[in-house]
Amino acid sequence: MCGKEEIKTLIELAKKLEKDEPQESARNYFLAAEALITQASEHPLEQHKYLELAQKSYQKGKELKEKKDTINTKKRFNSLQSKVTFDNIGGLEDLKAEIRLKIIEPFKHPELFRYYGKQAGGGILIYGPPGCGKSLIAKATANEAGANFLHIKSSDIKSKFVGETEKNIAELFEKAREQQPTIIFFDEFEALGSDRTDAPAHDKSAVAQLLTEMDSVDSKDQQILLLAATNEPWSVDPALRREGRFGTTLFIPPPDLSSRKEILQIHLDHRPTEELDYGSLAELTDGFSGADLKAVCEMATDIPLKESIETGKRRLITMGDLNAAIKNTRSVLRTWFTKAVQQVKKRQMEEEFSELITQVQKSENLVVAN
Ligand SMILES: Nc1ncnc2c1ncn2[C@@H]1O[C@H](COP(=O)(O)OP(=O)(O)OP(=O)(O)O)[C@@H](O)[C@H]1O
Ligand SMILES: [Mg+2]
């Protein structure tokens, strides 16, 4: 358990990290709050003072938790070492197997694939509803493949100045070539690779530049792999979806019953809980995304945590806390699927995004009937 000195160190460290690594800073504030609660229960005479400090530390942590780490955008195009592996992703077993065969193995053994006349490379477009693990699986893929990982959001390379976006794209590929093997991951891809027929002029040239760079990667047999993720696949420029570019599409579905069970376990395993009936929690969360399930776990944990800040006593996270959190969470999946079906039908893309349509047919409660 933490003594006064350790608490002081934790808070000092949290303060230092506030600006550049808010997430890590928040974690330290939470640890300090927890230690202060323990101090409060051990020192009844000073209980009031300790609880007040705990409350402050907890609040600070909570505010910081909302912030995103700024460090990635500051050090532009620096590769991240991701710690996420396939074990941290609940469900999606078929997809993991497909990614192993189509991405990881060719990436690790290019010579074997060449021997059998199979061409490695080309890009893969991951699409699906928000919060179901697209970004998570891209990070894990880079890690499993032992590759450098460049996580690119379109805001990192898009510029309002003429010619600047193209320059940024060229610079990005240059960086990728320097540090092969590399996976370039374009997150929220629709913002960068949007259909040129609906796009303003300088977005058109960004797509053109991207096409040029992609074609050159393919022809030189480099160890660079392109992944892109989007929840608006219908607005990605068709030229980018052609064979040899982002020709392969992978659909990430919402988690099914057993995946929901696994995701809940992943997010609760390390926390103090009473014995939980995961089967029943999974039943109650039909139609929830992975991100919704994570939010449920966070919300349920906050209930006993807040209580112990007020009372100075600890208790376990219960089924009651989880049920309350489930009742208070509304998933956006239905809204997304309704919009997705409309867009895909409007553009007559049912064949290209057939998994999406099949998913909706399987669980009719995913779309609002019109
Ligand atoms: N299959 C899963 N297993 C474990 N956690 C998950 C899973 N899917 C989602 N999550 C949780 O939800 C969070 C959000 O997931 P992620 O960022 O991968 O969603 P996304 O599909 O990229 O969504 P968006 O379209 O909004 O970018 C993850 O950081 C993780 O905590
Ligand atoms: Mg994402």
Side-chain angles (χ1 to χ4, degrees):
M1 242 323 97
C2 279
K4 284 184 194 167
E5 275 312 303
E6 281 102 330
I7 296 177
K8 218 170 121 198
T9 317
L10 274 173
I11 294 181
E12 273 166 8
L13 187 63
K15 276 196 183 134
K16 248 192 229 159
L17 293 169
E18 268 180 28
K19 203 155 156 269
D20 283 338
E21 292 180 57
Q23 301 301 319
E24 195 50 33
S25 168
R27 212 176 64 85
N28 283 300
Y29 275 121
F30 287 143
L31 286 173
E34 205 178 301
L36 283 161
I37 293 173
T38 311
Q39 290 287 333
S41 60
E42 284 169 5
H43 301 91
L45 288 178
E46 292 175 291
Q47 194 176 50
H48 186 69
K49 182 183 90 187
Y50 281 119
L51 288 181
E52 202 172 305
L53 286 172
Q55 173 83 30
K56 274 192 190 149
S57 192
Y58 176 72
Q59 262 314 329
K60 193 85 197 152
K62 198 117 207 205
E63 282 161 27
L64 285 160
K65 218 170 148 218
E66 318 276 287
K67 284 195 185 169
K68 288 223 166 88
D69 284 345
T70 50
I71 208 142
N72 302 348
T73 42
K74 237 196 295 167
K75 293 190 200 157
R76 221 157 51 116
F77 305 155
N78 271 2
S79 64
L80 295 173
Q81 270 311 321
S82 150
K83 290 195 196 85
V84 185
T85 68
F86 280 173
D87 289 341
N88 304 112
I89 304 177
L92 301 174
E93 295 312 326
D94 294 348
L95 200 81
K96 287 179 197 165
E98 197 173 349
I99 288 181
R100 261 187 219 292
L101 183 72
K102 285 194 180 151
I103 306 181
I104 297 171
E105 293 308 323
F107 212 64
K108 282 188 168 164
H109 313 284
E111 65 302 329
L112 183 68
F113 278 70
R114 227 174 290 134
Y115 175 74
Y116 284 106
K118 294 275 272 188
Q119 197 187 1
I124 291 174
L125 180 69
I126 304 172
Y127 77 99
C132 290
K134 297 186 296 296
S135 302
L136 199 61
I137 213 155
K139 277 183 208 154
T141 301
N143 202 13
E144 300 269 341
N148 287 310
F149 185 62
L150 293 169
H151 188 162
I152 307 299
K153 301 225 173 76
S154 74
S155 54
D156 298 341
I157 45 178
K158 244 180 153 172
S159 162
K160 55 184 184 297
F161 301 111
V162 177
E164 200 62 20
T165 306
E166 294 87 308
K167 233 166 72 190
N168 289 341
I169 293 175
E171 201 182 297
L172 166 68
F173 278 81
E174 196 49 52
K175 179 96 190 181
R177 279 186 203 102
E178 271 169 25
Q179 49 175 40
Q180 296 179 50
T182 298
I183 290 181
I184 308 182
F185 174 50
F186 295 100
D187 210 351
E188 289 145 33
F189 190 53
E190 67 285 347
L192 182 70
S194 58
D195 192 335
R196 279 171 293 180
T197 45
D198 327 319
H202 60 276
D203 277 9
K204 289 183 194 177
S205 52
V207 172
Q209 176 72 24
L210 201 54
L211 288 172
T212 315
E213 292 287 355
M214 286 193 79
D215 292 346
S216 82
V217 165
D218 209 32
S219 61
K220 285 183 203 143
D221 197 14
Q222 294 161 338
Q223 272 211 299
I224 297 177
L225 184 95
L226 301 171
L227 288 182
T230 178
N231 46 36
E232 290 181 23
W234 50 85
S235 44
V236 172
D237 196 301
L240 280 166
R241 281 191 279 110
R242 222 165 279 153
E243 205 43 54
R245 291 162 183 172
F246 290 102
T248 309
T249 50
L250 293 179
F251 175 64
I252 308 254
D256 61 11
L257 188 79
S258 73
S259 309
R260 292 197 297 277
K261 215 164 133 179
E262 266 183 54
I263 296 173
L264 287 164
Q265 273 162 343
I266 288 174
H267 292 288
L268 288 170
D269 239 9
H270 56 291
R271 298 192 173 164
T273 62
E274 66 173 16
E275 188 149 346
L276 299 175
D277 178 357
Y278 282 103
S280 122
L281 294 171
E283 297 267 3
L284 285 171
T285 47
D286 186 18
F288 280 42
S289 71
D292 295 331
L293 293 170
K294 184 184 177 194
V296 163
C297 299
E298 296 297 330
M299 209 189 286
T301 307
D302 280 351
I303 302 172
L305 180 60
K306 269 191 201 137
E307 272 177 32
S308 52
I309 289 179
E310 276 155 25
T311 62
K313 289 197 194 101
R314 297 178 183 196
R315 71 159 174 84
L316 299 176
I317 303 165
T318 63
M319 278 298 277
D321 298 326
L322 282 150
N323 284 323
I326 291 171
K327 277 210 189 89
N328 281 314
T329 306
R330 281 201 53 197
S331 171
V332 296
L333 283 189
R334 236 162 94 111
T335 322
W336 184 86
F337 270 101
T338 307
K339 177 176 164 204
V341 168
Q342 277 167 1
Q343 291 292 334
V344 166
K345 286 195 171 154
K346 189 172 111 191
R347 293 160 203 244
Q348 297 175 330
M349 291 174 164
E350 287 96 329
E351 218 167 288
E352 283 157 275
F353 302 117
S354 59
E355 298 102 326
L356 192 158
I357 306 287
T358 318
Q359 182 72 38
V360 169
Q361 284 161 349
K362 267 199 290 193
S363 36
E364 70 282 353
N365 69 344
L366 278 180
V367 265
V368 182
N370 49 11

PDB file of all heavy atoms in Angstrom, residues 207-229:
ATOM      1  N   VAL A 207      -6.127  12.639 -53.460  1.00  0.00           N
ATOM      2  CA  VAL A 207      -6.424  11.264 -53.874  1.00  0.00           C
ATOM      3  C   VAL A 207      -5.475  10.842 -54.995  1.00  0.00           C
ATOM      4  O   VAL A 207      -4.920   9.741 -54.983  1.00  0.00           O
ATOM      5  CB  VAL A 207      -7.903  11.109 -54.317  1.00  0.00           C
ATOM      6  CG1 VAL A 207      -8.157   9.743 -54.918  1.00  0.00           C
ATOM      7  CG2 VAL A 207      -8.836  11.328 -53.133  1.00  0.00           C
ATOM      8  N   ALA A 208      -5.238  11.759 -55.939  1.00  0.00           N
ATOM      9  CA  ALA A 208      -4.344  11.437 -57.054  1.00  0.00           C
ATOM     10  C   ALA A 208      -2.936  11.121 -56.553  1.00  0.00           C
ATOM     11  O   ALA A 208      -2.308  10.155 -56.995  1.00  0.00           O
ATOM     12  CB  ALA A 208      -4.306  12.607 -58.043  1.00  0.00           C
ATOM     13  N   GLN A 209      -2.472  11.918 -55.596  1.00  0.00           N
ATOM     14  CA  GLN A 209      -1.136  11.700 -55.034  1.00  0.00           C
ATOM     15  C   GLN A 209      -1.070  10.350 -54.310  1.00  0.00           C
ATOM     16  O   GLN A 209      -0.110   9.596 -54.443  1.00  0.00           O
ATOM     17  CB  GLN A 209      -0.807  12.837 -54.053  1.00  0.00           C
ATOM     18  CG  GLN A 209       0.511  12.673 -53.324  1.00  0.00           C
ATOM     19  CD  GLN A 209       1.708  12.907 -54.232  1.00  0.00           C
ATOM     20  OE1 GLN A 209       1.590  13.602 -55.238  1.00  0.00           O
ATOM     21  NE2 GLN A 209       2.837  12.312 -53.892  1.00  0.00           N
ATOM     22  N   LEU A 210      -2.130  10.037 -53.605  1.00  0.00           N
ATOM     23  CA  LEU A 210      -2.198   8.777 -52.879  1.00  0.00           C
ATOM     24  C   LEU A 210      -2.140   7.605 -53.865  1.00  0.00           C
ATOM     25  O   LEU A 210      -1.437   6.609 -53.638  1.00  0.00           O
ATOM     26  CB  LEU A 210      -3.516   8.755 -52.095  1.00  0.00           C
ATOM     27  CG  LEU A 210      -3.623   7.819 -50.914  1.00  0.00           C
ATOM     28  CD1 LEU A 210      -2.485   8.040 -49.947  1.00  0.00           C
ATOM     29  CD2 LEU A 210      -4.959   8.054 -50.200  1.00  0.00           C
ATOM     30  N   LEU A 211      -2.849   7.735 -54.981  1.00  0.00           N
ATOM     31  CA  LEU A 211      -2.840   6.683 -56.007  1.00  0.00           C
ATOM     32  C   LEU A 211      -1.435   6.477 -56.559  1.00  0.00           C
ATOM     33  O   LEU A 211      -0.963   5.347 -56.692  1.00  0.00           O
ATOM     34  CB  LEU A 211      -3.786   7.058 -57.158  1.00  0.00           C
ATOM     35  CG  LEU A 211      -5.275   6.968 -56.841  1.00  0.00           C
ATOM     36  CD1 LEU A 211      -6.097   7.557 -57.977  1.00  0.00           C
ATOM     37  CD2 LEU A 211      -5.679   5.532 -56.588  1.00  0.00           C
ATOM     38  N   THR A 212      -0.752   7.575 -56.849  1.00  0.00           N
ATOM     39  CA  THR A 212       0.608   7.480 -57.383  1.00  0.00           C
ATOM     40  C   THR A 212       1.516   6.756 -56.391  1.00  0.00           C
ATOM     41  O   THR A 212       2.263   5.849 -56.758  1.00  0.00           O
ATOM     42  CB  THR A 212       1.187   8.902 -57.620  1.00  0.00           C
ATOM     43  OG1 THR A 212       0.191   9.655 -58.256  1.00  0.00           O
ATOM     44  CG2 THR A 212       2.457   8.872 -58.427  1.00  0.00           C
ATOM     45  N   GLU A 213       1.451   7.164 -55.133  1.00  0.00           N
ATOM     46  CA  GLU A 213       2.320   6.550 -54.122  1.00  0.00           C
ATOM     47  C   GLU A 213       1.997   5.070 -53.965  1.00  0.00           C
ATOM     48  O   GLU A 213       2.890   4.239 -53.854  1.00  0.00           O
ATOM     49  CB  GLU A 213       2.155   7.256 -52.770  1.00  0.00           C
ATOM     50  CG  GLU A 213       2.665   8.677 -52.737  1.00  0.00           C
ATOM     51  CD  GLU A 213       4.195   8.767 -52.743  1.00  0.00           C
ATOM     52  OE1 GLU A 213       4.855   7.716 -52.681  1.00  0.00           O
ATOM     53  OE2 GLU A 213       4.703   9.893 -52.832  1.00  0.00           O
ATOM     54  N   MET A 214       0.706   4.738 -53.958  1.00  0.00           N
ATOM     55  CA  MET A 214       0.314   3.337 -53.774  1.00  0.00           C
ATOM     56  C   MET A 214       0.817   2.483 -54.911  1.00  0.00           C
ATOM     57  O   MET A 214       1.321   1.375 -54.716  1.00  0.00           O
ATOM     58  CB  MET A 214      -1.205   3.215 -53.707  1.00  0.00           C
ATOM     59  CG  MET A 214      -1.769   3.708 -52.416  1.00  0.00           C
ATOM     60  SD  MET A 214      -3.479   3.212 -52.243  1.00  0.00           S
ATOM     61  CE  MET A 214      -3.293   1.516 -51.726  1.00  0.00           C
ATOM     62  N   ASP A 215       0.690   2.989 -56.132  1.00  0.00           N
ATOM     63  CA  ASP A 215       1.129   2.216 -57.286  1.00  0.00           C
ATOM     64  C   ASP A 215       2.636   2.001 -57.250  1.00  0.00           C
ATOM     65  O   ASP A 215       3.133   0.956 -57.632  1.00  0.00           O
ATOM     66  CB  ASP A 215       0.692   2.896 -58.590  1.00  0.00           C
ATOM     67  CG  ASP A 215      -0.831   2.845 -58.734  1.00  0.00           C
ATOM     68  OD1 ASP A 215      -1.456   2.070 -57.975  1.00  0.00           O
ATOM     69  OD2 ASP A 215      -1.386   3.568 -59.571  1.00  0.00           O
ATOM     70  N   SER A 216       3.362   2.985 -56.741  1.00  0.00           N
ATOM     71  CA  SER A 216       4.817   2.828 -56.727  1.00  0.00           C
ATOM     72  C   SER A 216       5.236   1.824 -55.651  1.00  0.00           C
ATOM     73  O   SER A 216       6.199   1.092 -55.819  1.00  0.00           O
ATOM     74  CB  SER A 216       5.514   4.174 -56.538  1.00  0.00           C
ATOM     75  OG  SER A 216       5.535   4.507 -55.179  1.00  0.00           O
ATOM     76  N   VAL A 217       4.523   1.742 -54.562  1.00  0.00           N
ATOM     77  CA  VAL A 217       4.832   0.745 -53.529  1.00  0.00           C
ATOM     78  C   VAL A 217       4.674  -0.646 -54.128  1.00  0.00           C
ATOM     79  O   VAL A 217       5.533  -1.499 -54.001  1.00  0.00           O
ATOM     80  CB  VAL A 217       3.880   0.879 -52.311  1.00  0.00           C
ATOM     81  CG1 VAL A 217       3.963  -0.358 -51.430  1.00  0.00           C
ATOM     82  CG2 VAL A 217       4.236   2.098 -51.492  1.00  0.00           C
ATOM     83  N   ASP A 218       3.576  -0.842 -54.824  1.00  0.00           N
ATOM     84  CA  ASP A 218       3.262  -2.143 -55.378  1.00  0.00           C
ATOM     85  C   ASP A 218       4.321  -2.634 -56.365  1.00  0.00           C
ATOM     86  O   ASP A 218       4.741  -3.774 -56.331  1.00  0.00           O
ATOM     87  CB  ASP A 218       1.902  -2.028 -56.090  1.00  0.00           C
ATOM     88  CG  ASP A 218       1.195  -3.359 -56.069  1.00  0.00           C
ATOM     89  OD1 ASP A 218       1.417  -4.079 -55.082  1.00  0.00           O
ATOM     90  OD2 ASP A 218       0.475  -3.657 -57.020  1.00  0.00           O
ATOM     91  N   SER A 219       4.803  -1.698 -57.211  1.00  0.00           N
ATOM     92  CA  SER A 219       5.703  -2.124 -58.273  1.00  0.00           C
ATOM     93  C   SER A 219       7.118  -2.421 -57.779  1.00  0.00           C
ATOM     94  O   SER A 219       7.872  -3.115 -58.414  1.00  0.00           O
ATOM     95  CB  SER A 219       5.734  -1.067 -59.374  1.00  0.00           C
ATOM     96  OG  SER A 219       6.211   0.133 -58.810  1.00  0.00           O
ATOM     97  N   LYS A 220       7.487  -1.873 -56.636  1.00  0.00           N
ATOM     98  CA  LYS A 220       8.867  -2.047 -56.191  1.00  0.00           C
ATOM     99  C   LYS A 220       9.040  -3.155 -55.165  1.00  0.00           C
ATOM    100  O   LYS A 220      10.115  -3.307 -54.601  1.00  0.00           O
ATOM    101  CB  LYS A 220       9.412  -0.729 -55.655  1.00  0.00           C
ATOM    102  CG  LYS A 220       9.730   0.243 -56.773  1.00  0.00           C
ATOM    103  CD  LYS A 220      10.325   1.507 -56.203  1.00  0.00           C
ATOM    104  CE  LYS A 220      10.153   2.670 -57.150  1.00  0.00           C
ATOM    105  NZ  LYS A 220       9.873   3.913 -56.441  1.00  0.00           N
ATOM    106  N   ASP A 221       7.991  -3.910 -54.910  1.00  0.00           N
ATOM    107  CA  ASP A 221       8.114  -5.049 -54.030  1.00  0.00           C
ATOM    108  C   ASP A 221       8.682  -4.664 -52.667  1.00  0.00           C
ATOM    109  O   ASP A 221       9.607  -5.272 -52.150  1.00  0.00           O
ATOM    110  CB  ASP A 221       9.027  -6.090 -54.707  1.00  0.00           C
ATOM    111  CG  ASP A 221       8.862  -7.460 -54.059  1.00  0.00           C
ATOM    112  OD1 ASP A 221       7.883  -7.613 -53.310  1.00  0.00           O
ATOM    113  OD2 ASP A 221       9.705  -8.319 -54.305  1.00  0.00           O
ATOM    114  N   GLN A 222       8.130  -3.606 -52.109  1.00  0.00           N
ATOM    115  CA  GLN A 222       8.655  -3.154 -50.823  1.00  0.00           C
ATOM    116  C   GLN A 222       7.869  -3.756 -49.671  1.00  0.00           C
ATOM    117  O   GLN A 222       6.737  -4.180 -49.849  1.00  0.00           O
ATOM    118  CB  GLN A 222       8.567  -1.626 -50.752  1.00  0.00           C
ATOM    119  CG  GLN A 222       9.485  -0.970 -51.752  1.00  0.00           C
ATOM    120  CD  GLN A 222       9.075   0.455 -52.018  1.00  0.00           C
ATOM    121  OE1 GLN A 222       7.940   0.846 -51.792  1.00  0.00           O
ATOM    122  NE2 GLN A 222      10.008   1.237 -52.516  1.00  0.00           N
ATOM    123  N   GLN A 223       8.491  -3.761 -48.499  1.00  0.00           N
ATOM    124  CA  GLN A 223       7.787  -4.280 -47.329  1.00  0.00           C
ATOM    125  C   GLN A 223       6.983  -3.171 -46.649  1.00  0.00           C
ATOM    126  O   GLN A 223       7.274  -2.772 -45.523  1.00  0.00           O
ATOM    127  CB  GLN A 223       8.783  -4.892 -46.369  1.00  0.00           C
ATOM    128  CG  GLN A 223       9.033  -6.358 -46.691  1.00  0.00           C
ATOM    129  CD  GLN A 223       9.354  -7.112 -45.421  1.00  0.00           C
ATOM    130  OE1 GLN A 223      10.320  -6.810 -44.762  1.00  0.00           O
ATOM    131  NE2 GLN A 223       8.526  -8.086 -45.090  1.00  0.00           N
ATOM    132  N   ILE A 224       6.032  -2.683 -47.426  1.00  0.00           N
ATOM    133  CA  ILE A 224       5.136  -1.659 -46.900  1.00  0.00           C
ATOM    134  C   ILE A 224       3.722  -2.140 -47.149  1.00  0.00           C
ATOM    135  O   ILE A 224       3.394  -2.539 -48.262  1.00  0.00           O
ATOM    136  CB  ILE A 224       5.330  -0.312 -47.626  1.00  0.00           C
ATOM    137  CG1 ILE A 224       6.756   0.191 -47.382  1.00  0.00           C
ATOM    138  CG2 ILE A 224       4.313   0.716 -47.148  1.00  0.00           C
ATOM    139  CD1 ILE A 224       7.087   1.459 -48.109  1.00  0.00           C
ATOM    140  N   LEU A 225       2.938  -2.139 -46.112  1.00  0.00           N
ATOM    141  CA  LEU A 225       1.565  -2.571 -46.288  1.00  0.00           C
ATOM    142  C   LEU A 225       0.628  -1.437 -45.897  1.00  0.00           C
ATOM    143  O   LEU A 225       0.882  -0.711 -44.948  1.00  0.00           O
ATOM    144  CB  LEU A 225       1.301  -3.771 -45.394  1.00  0.00           C
ATOM    145  CG  LEU A 225      -0.085  -4.321 -45.618  1.00  0.00           C
ATOM    146  CD1 LEU A 225      -0.037  -5.456 -46.614  1.00  0.00           C
ATOM    147  CD2 LEU A 225      -0.696  -4.778 -44.330  1.00  0.00           C
ATOM    148  N   LEU A 226      -0.438  -1.298 -46.685  1.00  0.00           N
ATOM    149  CA  LEU A 226      -1.369  -0.216 -46.414  1.00  0.00           C
ATOM    150  C   LEU A 226      -2.672  -0.750 -45.867  1.00  0.00           C
ATOM    151  O   LEU A 226      -3.275  -1.652 -46.444  1.00  0.00           O
ATOM    152  CB  LEU A 226      -1.637   0.558 -47.706  1.00  0.00           C
ATOM    153  CG  LEU A 226      -0.381   1.158 -48.313  1.00  0.00           C
ATOM    154  CD1 LEU A 226      -0.665   1.705 -49.691  1.00  0.00           C
ATOM    155  CD2 LEU A 226       0.154   2.267 -47.429  1.00  0.00           C
ATOM    156  N   LEU A 227      -3.076  -0.192 -44.747  1.00  0.00           N
ATOM    157  CA  LEU A 227      -4.379  -0.529 -44.181  1.00  0.00           C
ATOM    158  C   LEU A 227      -5.159   0.774 -44.076  1.00  0.00           C
ATOM    159  O   LEU A 227      -4.575   1.822 -43.821  1.00  0.00           O
ATOM    160  CB  LEU A 227      -4.227  -1.065 -42.759  1.00  0.00           C
ATOM    161  CG  LEU A 227      -3.652  -2.438 -42.510  1.00  0.00           C
ATOM    162  CD1 LEU A 227      -3.674  -2.719 -41.000  1.00  0.00           C
ATOM    163  CD2 LEU A 227      -4.470  -3.484 -43.225  1.00  0.00           C
ATOM    164  N   ALA A 228      -6.454   0.679 -44.283  1.00  0.00           N
ATOM    165  CA  ALA A 228      -7.276   1.864 -44.085  1.00  0.00           C
ATOM    166  C   ALA A 228      -8.537   1.439 -43.364  1.00  0.00           C
ATOM    167  O   ALA A 228      -9.005   0.316 -43.545  1.00  0.00           O
ATOM    168  CB  ALA A 228      -7.627   2.501 -45.423  1.00  0.00           C
ATOM    169  N   ALA A 229      -9.081   2.304 -42.528  1.00  0.00           N
ATOM    170  CA  ALA A 229     -10.332   1.975 -41.845  1.00  0.00           C
ATOM    171  C   ALA A 229     -11.329   3.100 -42.029  1.00  0.00           C
ATOM    172  O   ALA A 229     -10.952   4.271 -42.068  1.00  0.00           O
ATOM    173  CB  ALA A 229     -10.084   1.769 -40.360  1.00  0.00           C
TER     174      ALA A 229
END
